[in-house]
PDB file of all heavy atoms in Angstrom:
ATOM      1  N   SER A  36      -3.659 -44.659 -14.572  1.00 96.00           N
ATOM      2  CA  SER A  36      -3.864 -43.599 -13.641  1.00 96.00           C
ATOM      3  C   SER A  36      -4.869 -43.967 -12.556  1.00 96.00           C
ATOM      4  O   SER A  36      -5.075 -43.258 -11.571  1.00 96.00           O
ATOM      5  CB  SER A  36      -4.322 -42.355 -14.403  1.00 96.00           C
ATOM      6  OG  SER A  36      -5.609 -42.592 -15.053  1.00 96.00           O
ATOM      7  N   GLU A  37      -5.616 -45.074 -12.786  1.00 96.00           N
ATOM      8  CA  GLU A  37      -6.620 -45.581 -11.738  1.00 96.00           C
ATOM      9  C   GLU A  37      -6.539 -47.008 -11.666  1.00 96.00           C
ATOM     10  O   GLU A  37      -6.027 -47.748 -12.565  1.00 96.00           O
ATOM     11  CB  GLU A  37      -7.952 -45.063 -11.939  1.00 96.00           C
ATOM     12  CG  GLU A  37      -8.513 -45.503 -13.255  1.00 96.00           C
ATOM     13  CD  GLU A  37     -10.004 -44.996 -13.525  1.00 96.00           C
ATOM     14  OE1 GLU A  37     -10.005 -43.788 -13.989  1.00 96.00           O
ATOM     15  OE2 GLU A  37     -10.983 -45.679 -13.137  1.00 96.00           O
ATOM     16  N   VAL A  38      -7.113 -47.540 -10.605  1.00 97.00           N
ATOM     17  CA  VAL A  38      -7.066 -49.066 -10.394  1.00 97.00           C
ATOM     18  C   VAL A  38      -8.215 -49.666 -11.160  1.00 97.00           C
ATOM     19  O   VAL A  38      -9.121 -49.056 -11.717  1.00 97.00           O
ATOM     20  CB  VAL A  38      -7.261 -49.399  -8.900  1.00 97.00           C
ATOM     21  CG1 VAL A  38      -6.160 -48.828  -8.072  1.00 97.00           C
ATOM     22  CG2 VAL A  38      -8.644 -49.030  -8.376  1.00 97.00           C
ATOM     23  N   GLY A  39      -8.137 -51.016 -11.353  1.00 96.00           N
ATOM     24  CA  GLY A  39      -9.242 -51.795 -11.962  1.00 96.00           C
ATOM     25  C   GLY A  39      -8.827 -52.688 -13.066  1.00 96.00           C
ATOM     26  O   GLY A  39      -9.477 -53.686 -13.356  1.00 96.00           O
ATOM     27  N   GLY A  40      -7.827 -52.162 -13.979  1.00 94.00           N
ATOM     28  CA  GLY A  40      -7.420 -53.014 -15.110  1.00 94.00           C
ATOM     29  C   GLY A  40      -8.642 -53.089 -16.050  1.00 94.00           C
ATOM     30  O   GLY A  40      -9.290 -52.105 -16.438  1.00 94.00           O
ATOM     31  N   GLN A  41      -8.916 -54.394 -16.453  1.00 94.00           N
ATOM     32  CA  GLN A  41      -9.981 -54.540 -17.416  1.00 94.00           C
ATOM     33  C   GLN A  41     -11.336 -54.458 -16.774  1.00 94.00           C
ATOM     34  O   GLN A  41     -12.402 -54.576 -17.436  1.00 94.00           O
ATOM     35  CB  GLN A  41      -9.844 -56.046 -17.901  1.00 94.00           C
ATOM     36  CG  GLN A  41      -8.536 -56.359 -18.670  1.00 94.00           C
ATOM     37  CD  GLN A  41      -8.390 -55.535 -19.966  1.00 94.00           C
ATOM     38  OE1 GLN A  41      -9.345 -55.397 -20.691  1.00 94.00           O
ATOM     39  NE2 GLN A  41      -7.157 -55.067 -20.306  1.00 94.00           N
ATOM     40  N   CYS A  42     -11.364 -54.276 -15.465  1.00 96.00           N
ATOM     41  CA  CYS A  42     -12.604 -54.146 -14.769  1.00 96.00           C
ATOM     42  C   CYS A  42     -13.061 -52.655 -14.418  1.00 96.00           C
ATOM     43  O   CYS A  42     -13.859 -52.493 -13.558  1.00 96.00           O
ATOM     44  CB  CYS A  42     -12.667 -55.033 -13.394  1.00 96.00           C
ATOM     45  SG  CYS A  42     -12.713 -56.723 -13.838  1.00 96.00           S
ATOM     46  N   ARG A  43     -12.406 -51.721 -15.017  1.00 96.00           N
ATOM     47  CA  ARG A  43     -12.697 -50.374 -14.815  1.00 96.00           C
ATOM     48  C   ARG A  43     -14.059 -49.963 -15.434  1.00 96.00           C
ATOM     49  O   ARG A  43     -14.519 -50.700 -16.236  1.00 96.00           O
ATOM     50  CB  ARG A  43     -11.627 -49.541 -15.363  1.00 96.00           C
ATOM     51  CG  ARG A  43     -10.383 -49.400 -14.557  1.00 96.00           C
ATOM     52  CD  ARG A  43      -9.299 -48.568 -15.281  1.00 96.00           C
ATOM     53  NE  ARG A  43      -8.802 -49.217 -16.462  1.00 96.00           N
ATOM     54  CZ  ARG A  43      -8.218 -48.579 -17.398  1.00 96.00           C
ATOM     55  NH1 ARG A  43      -8.000 -47.379 -17.389  1.00 96.00           N
ATOM     56  NH2 ARG A  43      -7.728 -49.219 -18.499  1.00 96.00           N
ATOM     57  N   SER A  44     -14.555 -48.942 -14.978  1.00 97.00           N
ATOM     58  CA  SER A  44     -15.781 -48.257 -15.642  1.00 97.00           C
ATOM     59  C   SER A  44     -15.463 -46.789 -16.087  1.00 97.00           C
ATOM     60  O   SER A  44     -14.651 -46.142 -15.302  1.00 97.00           O
ATOM     61  CB  SER A  44     -17.005 -48.260 -14.740  1.00 97.00           C
ATOM     62  OG  SER A  44     -17.286 -49.603 -14.481  1.00 97.00           O
ATOM     63  N   GLU A  45     -15.914 -46.351 -17.101  1.00 96.00           N
ATOM     64  CA  GLU A  45     -15.683 -44.944 -17.519  1.00 96.00           C
ATOM     65  C   GLU A  45     -17.034 -44.203 -17.345  1.00 96.00           C
ATOM     66  O   GLU A  45     -18.128 -44.759 -17.405  1.00 96.00           O
ATOM     67  CB  GLU A  45     -15.312 -44.917 -18.952  1.00 96.00           C
ATOM     68  CG  GLU A  45     -13.946 -45.493 -19.381  1.00 96.00           C
ATOM     69  CD  GLU A  45     -12.741 -44.577 -18.987  1.00 96.00           C
ATOM     70  OE1 GLU A  45     -13.049 -43.487 -18.460  1.00 96.00           O
ATOM     71  OE2 GLU A  45     -11.666 -45.028 -19.136  1.00 96.00           O
ATOM     72  N   ARG A  46     -16.854 -42.903 -16.988  1.00 96.00           N
ATOM     73  CA  ARG A  46     -17.995 -42.115 -16.755  1.00 96.00           C
ATOM     74  C   ARG A  46     -17.933 -40.879 -17.723  1.00 96.00           C
ATOM     75  O   ARG A  46     -16.887 -40.276 -17.868  1.00 96.00           O
ATOM     76  CB  ARG A  46     -18.078 -41.564 -15.397  1.00 96.00           C
ATOM     77  CG  ARG A  46     -18.296 -42.601 -14.364  1.00 96.00           C
ATOM     78  CD  ARG A  46     -18.557 -42.126 -12.885  1.00 96.00           C
ATOM     79  NE  ARG A  46     -17.377 -41.336 -12.427  1.00 96.00           N
ATOM     80  CZ  ARG A  46     -17.355 -40.696 -11.255  1.00 96.00           C
ATOM     81  NH1 ARG A  46     -18.355 -40.693 -10.517  1.00 96.00           N
ATOM     82  NH2 ARG A  46     -16.195 -40.080 -10.896  1.00 96.00           N
ATOM     83  N   PHE A  47     -19.093 -40.552 -18.367  1.00 96.00           N
ATOM     84  CA  PHE A  47     -19.089 -39.410 -19.339  1.00 96.00           C
ATOM     85  C   PHE A  47     -20.384 -38.582 -19.030  1.00 96.00           C
ATOM     86  O   PHE A  47     -21.314 -39.104 -18.727  1.00 96.00           O
ATOM     87  CB  PHE A  47     -19.169 -39.950 -20.757  1.00 96.00           C
ATOM     88  CG  PHE A  47     -18.036 -40.736 -21.222  1.00 96.00           C
ATOM     89  CD1 PHE A  47     -18.088 -42.163 -21.343  1.00 96.00           C
ATOM     90  CD2 PHE A  47     -16.708 -40.154 -21.456  1.00 96.00           C
ATOM     91  CE1 PHE A  47     -17.006 -42.960 -21.657  1.00 96.00           C
ATOM     92  CE2 PHE A  47     -15.707 -40.951 -21.870  1.00 96.00           C
ATOM     93  CZ  PHE A  47     -15.818 -42.331 -22.035  1.00 96.00           C
ATOM     94  N   SER A  48     -20.091 -37.288 -19.185  1.00 96.00           N
ATOM     95  CA  SER A  48     -21.248 -36.386 -18.816  1.00 96.00           C
ATOM     96  C   SER A  48     -21.703 -35.636 -20.126  1.00 96.00           C
ATOM     97  O   SER A  48     -20.947 -35.346 -21.008  1.00 96.00           O
ATOM     98  CB  SER A  48     -20.618 -35.241 -17.864  1.00 96.00           C
ATOM     99  OG  SER A  48     -20.375 -35.821 -16.585  1.00 96.00           O
ATOM    100  N   VAL A  49     -23.027 -35.627 -20.225  1.00 96.00           N
ATOM    101  CA  VAL A  49     -23.670 -34.905 -21.253  1.00 96.00           C
ATOM    102  C   VAL A  49     -24.652 -33.899 -20.620  1.00 96.00           C
ATOM    103  O   VAL A  49     -25.663 -34.334 -20.082  1.00 96.00           O
ATOM    104  CB  VAL A  49     -24.495 -35.890 -22.190  1.00 96.00           C
ATOM    105  CG1 VAL A  49     -25.184 -35.030 -23.317  1.00 96.00           C
ATOM    106  CG2 VAL A  49     -23.581 -36.921 -22.786  1.00 96.00           C
ATOM    107  N   LYS A  50     -24.227 -32.639 -20.679  1.00 92.00           N
ATOM    108  CA  LYS A  50     -24.830 -31.573 -19.910  1.00 92.00           C
ATOM    109  C   LYS A  50     -24.928 -31.897 -18.483  1.00 92.00           C
ATOM    110  O   LYS A  50     -23.916 -32.167 -17.832  1.00 92.00           O
ATOM    111  CB  LYS A  50     -26.309 -31.319 -20.570  1.00 92.00           C
ATOM    112  CG  LYS A  50     -26.211 -30.877 -21.989  1.00 92.00           C
ATOM    113  CD  LYS A  50     -27.612 -30.593 -22.588  1.00 92.00           C
ATOM    114  CE  LYS A  50     -27.586 -30.069 -23.928  1.00 92.00           C
ATOM    115  NZ  LYS A  50     -28.873 -29.861 -24.598  1.00 92.00           N
TER     116      LYS A  50
END
Side-chain angles (χ1 to χ4, degrees):
S36 60
E37 62 181 85
V38 303
Q41 301 291 324
C42 290
R43 284 176 292 162
S44 298
E45 294 284 354
R46 296 187 297 175
F47 298 103
S48 295
V49 180
K50 297 181 180 178

